[in-house]
Amino acid sequence: MTTIHIADPIGTLAGREPVFVDAEATLRAVARTLWSESVGILVVGNERHPLGVISERDVVSELAQGADPDRRSARDAMTAYLISTRREDPISDAAAQMLDDSVRHLPVVDEDGRVIGMVSVRDLIRPLLLDALTAQVPEN
């Protein structure tokens, strides 16, 4: 297993490929896709034209407020402002961005702005923990 450090590019992490959903998909279809793909967030649109993201929390919030899961669409419930990271950005920058923006997932984009991956807080735990533990070990 290759050791990944927080200064390494986010693209070195084995984050998941993004899962996309059509903007007109119902909340029921969104929930089904989240469940079947075992992910916490979907990109609304496609890799070249992401419109936003929709998370489990977005679906739960809509349903808790009385939305009809067969009438409300991904477009209606998505977060339209896409917060992302470039694959060459350091892992530490992506982690700071997630903290600053209070998000648990970041789409990874390439130099052309295409969504090519997705990283989660869970993906960042190993490199952050390993670097923190290494920093605490005194050198002889």
Side-chain angles (χ1 to χ4, degrees):
M1 175 186 230
T2 304
T3 302
I4 298 173
H5 299 280
I6 61 172
D8 292 340
I10 196 76
T12 60
L13 282 178
R16 290 191 59 135
E17 288 189 24
V19 179
F20 298 91
V21 66
D22 186 85
E24 301 313 315
T26 65
L27 289 184
R28 185 178 306 279
V30 167
R32 189 176 301 117
T33 302
L34 288 164
W35 173 76
S36 68
E37 295 289 335
S38 295
V39 295
I41 196 165
L42 304 172
V43 179
V44 180
N46 61 53
E47 71 179 18
R48 292 200 181 275
H49 302 289
L51 303 173
V53 292
I54 187 164
S55 69
E56 294 167 320
R57 287 183 178 188
D58 294 327
V59 173
V60 168
S61 175
E62 290 288 321
L63 296 177
Q65 295 175 62
D68 182 337
D70 296 313
R71 292 184 184 255
R72 192 97 165 130
S73 71
R75 183 187 308 275
D76 297 331
M78 72 181 188
T79 300
Y81 180 70
L82 188 68
I83 299 168
S84 62
T85 187
R86 296 175 315 211
R87 76 168 136 206
E88 65 273 5
D89 290 344
I91 292 170
S92 58
D93 287 1
Q97 186 175 10
M98 291 171 103
L99 283 171
D100 291 346
D101 293 323
S102 300
V103 296
R104 297 180 299 155
H105 303 86
L106 278 179
V108 179
V109 298
D110 67 11
E111 50 281 341
D112 296 322
R114 287 180 301 160
V115 180
I116 59 167
M118 186 69 69
V119 292
S120 69
V121 170
R122 183 175 295 154
D123 298 324
L124 300 179
I125 290 173
R126 180 179 300 279
L128 293 171
L129 183 57
L130 287 175
D131 273 15
L133 292 173
T134 303
Q136 293 181 3
V137 176
E139 301 215 8
N140 293 331

